[in-house]
Each structure stands twice: as C-alpha cells, then as structure tokens.
Amino acid sequence: VTLPSKDLDGVAEYINSGRAKRIVVLTGAGISTAAGIPDFRSPGTGLYDNLSRLDLPYAEAVFDISYFREHPEPFYILARELYPGKFHPTVSHAFIALLAQKNLLDTLFTQNIDCLERRAGVPGDKVVEAHGSFATQRCIECKKEFDGDKMVEHVERGDVPRCEDKECKGLVKPDIVFFGEMLPKHFDRETYRLGMADLVLIIGTSLSVYPFAALPGMVQEGKPRVLFNLQRVGGIGAKSDDVLALGDCDAQVRKFADALGWRDELEKLWKS
Ligand code: OAD
Ligand code: ZN
C-alpha cells in the first residue's frame, strides 16, 4: 500500500511528502450544486427529476441529439436556466485551482459545462472538458460557428437559433456533447494521463456515463484514488489505496485542506 493511512490525513501526508507530483482530478455536477446548479441524478433535486414541464419522452432526451433535431425547444428552455454567467465557483473548484498554483495539477477532466473551473482559476490548458462547454456553438448540419453575442440574445429570449447560411438554416447547438454524439477528439488523446497519475481525486460525479466513467479504471495499481461524493459510486473503495471522503464535497475538501495545511490559502483563493 502507498498511503500511510486510508483517509484524508494519509492522502495529505502522501502529497506533503512530495510523492504525488502528478494529480489528476475528475469532476461532475456534484461539484457545482453548492453554486446553485442542480446535478442530474440526485433524487428530487436533480435535473432529470424536474423536467416534467418540458413534456419529454424520457428525461435524458433533452440532451439527446436525435430528439434535439426534431424538438430543439426543450433544450433551449433549459439552456436559459443553465447558461454560464450567473454562478460562482465553489470551494471545491477553488481547491483545484490551488492544486494548479502549487504545480500539482496534471489535468482536470470535467463532465461539467458550467465553465466554473476556469472561472475559479484553473488554467485552461489543464482542463479537459469531456462533455464540451457553452463557450462556443455551431450549426449541427454544416458545422459553421455561430456568433457568441447573438447566441446570448437567443438564449435570453429562450428561442432557437438557426444557421445564418441561407441555404442551410440548420439548428444551432452549443458545443456540449449530447447523447449520441462523440466526445471531443482530445478526450481520448488525454486519457493516458490517468495511467501516469500519482493520485486521482474524484469529486461530485455518479460515474454513470461512459466513457468518462471508465477513467478511474485506468489508474495504476498502488496509485491512490479518493472519492469526494455524497455516496459511494463506481466501485471506488474496492482497491487497497482507495479513500472514501463521503458527504458534502466542500466540507470534505475543507477537511482535506486542513490536513494539508492549506486551509487559509484555500479560503483566500476562493474569496478572491
Ligand atoms: P450526476 O447527477 O449523475 O451525479 C452527481 C453526483 O454528485 C451524485 O452522486 C450526487 O450524489 C453527488 N453530489 C451532489 N451534490 C453533492 C455535494 N454537494 N457534495 C458531494 N457530492 C454531491 O452528475 P454527473 O455524474 O456529472 O451528460 O453526470 C454525468 C453526465 O450525465 C453529465 O455530464 C450529463 C449527464 O447526462 C450529458 O449531458 C452528456
Ligand atoms: Zn448550417
């Protein structure tokens, strides 16, 4: 075993000993719930439990490319609510930025499309947005990019933008990955980083959507994986160097920062 103890104190000691040079972080919607953005699958509060007003055949249809082609309106009703700009990063986001400041962050793989990791100060070149983001958008037919300011206007009005090419008139969609679409090309290219990682931190994800959910399985034997989540997911905890930090991720991350001796820095960075 690699860790002096199978808890956050043990992981902190591992980092402070200088042996965890390459840290990979994997995140999902649970890291942003404290910012006021619902996750997808939490019973009651999750997005998929609250879409009845959209009259969908099934909840995930709102992010399904074939459904979108026929019925783009429900997605645009939701896009208005989820559009980045009105949300602030959480303590957990700030912690990832702190890892980067300390030159310990190898890569952050995020499933989130809220752009909060960059806003918290994680350098863009360290982030792999596995499910894309709202940063750009294009026509789903001819793939021509659509202007960002115009997009904001459409989203605010809640209406569906169309390709400006007169012949095309295809539907415009933010470059977020829908069910039935490929992940960004660089996702596959960057997965080798899991195999090189000294430590993997998994924060706020149900690990239920592939291929992202396969990433924790690519970690080498003897390299610790730490799960910060409300409940145990994805079989994390089964390996000898797995650590479960169950509960609210911000609270657990603060505890971790205490163990590392980084708490003041973390709070300062979060407030800045
Ligand atoms: P999920 O909603 O599936 O999972 C969020 C996880 O975070 C759950 O296990 C929650 O219990 C946990 N959680 C929520 N709040 C938390 C908190 N404050 N502290 C700790 N844990 C908390 O979201 P994702 O795993 O991100 O894809 O979902 C993966 C993908 O499914 C999304 O990227 C999206 C969705 O369909 C697409 O739309 C393509
Ligand atoms: Zn077009």
Side-chain angles (χ1 to χ4, degrees), residues 139 141-144 163 165 168-170:
C139 168
E141 308 300 343
C142 74
K143 313 291 176 198
K144 187 170 176 269
C163 183
D165 185 314
C168 179
K169 293 247 174 100

Side-chain angles (χ1 to χ4, degrees), residues 29 33 40-41 48 111 131 177 205-206 229-231 248-249:
T33 52
F40 295 92
R41 296 179 181 79
Y48 291 148
Q111 295 166 94
H131 294 167
V177 178
T205 171
S206 62
N229 206 63
L230 285 179
Q231 62 290 110
D248 172 61
C249 58

Side-chain angles (χ1 to χ4, degrees), residues 22-88:
R22 279 193 278 259
I23 302 179
V24 171
V25 181
L26 310 177
T27 60
I31 196 177
S32 295
T33 52
I37 306 171
D39 67 7
F40 295 92
R41 296 179 181 79
S42 282
T45 57
L47 203 58
Y48 291 148
D49 263 2
N50 291 285
L51 297 178
S52 50
R53 68 206 145 100
L54 298 182
D55 250 332
L56 300 162
Y58 56 99
E60 289 176 342
V62 72
F63 297 118
D64 187 295
I65 190 66
S66 341
Y67 184 79
F68 179 81
R69 278 178 197 283
E70 304 300 322
H71 309 278
E73 300 82 9
F75 169 75
Y76 275 100
I77 295 175
L78 209 62
R80 195 175 168 192
E81 293 162 30
L82 296 180
Y83 213 65
K86 41 188 171 192
F87 302 106
H88 297 284

Side-chain angles (χ1 to χ4, degrees), residues 179-199:
F179 292 107
E181 288 190 304
M182 303 274 284
L183 271 61
K185 281 195 253 348
H186 63 280
F187 175 83
D188 273 337
R189 209 170 55 227
E190 297 295 327
T191 54
Y192 78 93
R193 293 182 177 278
L194 273 300
M196 315 251 303
D198 301 315
L199 173 65

